[in-house]
Amino acid sequence: MTHNNKIYFYLSYIFIALSVSYLISFVLFSDIKQLIYLIPDDSSYYLKIAKNFSEGSGFTFDGINLTNGFQPLWQIVLIPLFYFIKTSAENYLKIILIFQIFLIFFSEILIFRILLKFFKVKIALAFVLFFTLFVLFNSVNGMETTLMIFLISVLFTKIISLNIFCSHNRFNEFKIGILLGLLILSRLDLIFFAFSLLVFIFLNGKDYKESLSKVVNISSGFLILFIPYLLFN
């Protein structure tokens, strides 16, 4: 790596660290009125359902009628917080927002490392600036967005590290399927992304049998997670 590339490399990490530090400080030292401006109304829906579930009322917003009108994985992630910790609404919100900051922080690092494998450091730095300004600051909002982005970054990191497109290993493909299942549960309309990914893997295989085997192995992984959700609903 040249001297200039090292500068761009370290600038990227410094910019990420400063941005994350600023967000954490803002969340920690802001009151509930300031934090409410960060979150849409729908985020309170998740928090209320998680609170009701932790109190034994099930997946319900009003405490009476059951609902499935939420992205399941993010809702499930929130439940242990309300079950094991009893605190004020302000503290719940702060804990959730800081958790989201760490999710988006690790996501940005993973995507940055992926880009370094294929592009020059300047391009990766440009991504960091764009991602921080338009994604990081906007996705910390109490919704499922940060979890979805984190799972996308982990999925593609594993696809590349396990060389899924060019090699054939049942266990590795099954692991990709599990990650794909978690991603779909983080946002259900990503089922279309999953279908597109499977088609791409099938079309880029060495031969028909290997391609079909990959698709079956990956599908079995995400169906293990997705079928119970369908049965529950």
Side-chain angles (χ1 to χ4, degrees), residues 172-191:
N172 287 341
E173 290 152 10
F174 183 79
K175 287 191 292 185
I176 294 300
I178 293 292
L179 285 172
L180 198 57
L182 290 172
L183 178 60
I184 294 169
L185 292 177
S186 74
R187 188 165 180 86
L188 295 174
D189 51 10
L190 287 176
I191 187 71

Side-chain angles (χ1 to χ4, degrees), residues 51-188:
K51 183 175 184 296
N52 286 340
F53 188 93
S54 69
E55 294 173 350
S57 300
F59 290 108
T60 173
F61 179 76
D62 58 9
I64 301 172
N65 301 298
L66 294 178
T67 181
N68 61 0
F70 49 79
Q71 303 298 340
L73 188 59
W74 180 238
Q75 188 67 76
I76 291 170
V77 167
L78 293 180
I79 288 172
L81 170 64
F82 287 84
Y83 189 82
F84 292 107
I85 300 175
K86 303 302 177 184
T87 186
S88 65
E90 180 177 343
N91 288 335
Y92 279 130
L93 184 56
K94 286 185 176 184
I95 292 170
I96 291 166
L97 293 177
I98 289 174
F99 174 63
Q100 289 194 305
I101 292 170
F102 280 106
L103 282 178
I104 204 68
F105 165 71
F106 288 119
S107 302
E108 189 166 11
I109 294 295
L110 288 173
I111 299 172
F112 177 67
R113 289 180 176 178
I114 291 173
L115 291 176
L116 287 176
K117 295 179 183 292
F118 303 100
F119 302 99
K120 294 181 179 179
V121 182
K122 286 183 181 180
I123 302 298
L125 173 59
F127 160 79
V128 166
L129 296 174
F130 178 86
F131 187 93
T132 301
L133 295 174
F134 296 101
V135 179
L136 188 148
F137 288 120
N138 292 318
S139 61
V140 179
N141 56 13
M143 299 288 287
E144 73 282 348
T145 313
T146 54
L147 180 61
M148 178 191 70
I149 295 172
F150 175 71
L151 289 170
I152 289 174
S153 64
V154 173
L155 176 66
F156 279 101
T157 297
K158 285 298 181 182
I159 285 175
I160 293 170
S161 65
L162 297 175
N163 201 20
I164 292 298
F165 295 121
C166 300
S167 64
H168 181 36
N169 181 289
R170 290 180 180 179
F171 182 63
N172 287 341
E173 290 152 10
F174 183 79
K175 287 191 292 185
I176 294 300
I178 293 292
L179 285 172
L180 198 57
L182 290 172
L183 178 60
I184 294 169
L185 292 177
S186 74
R187 188 165 180 86
L188 295 174

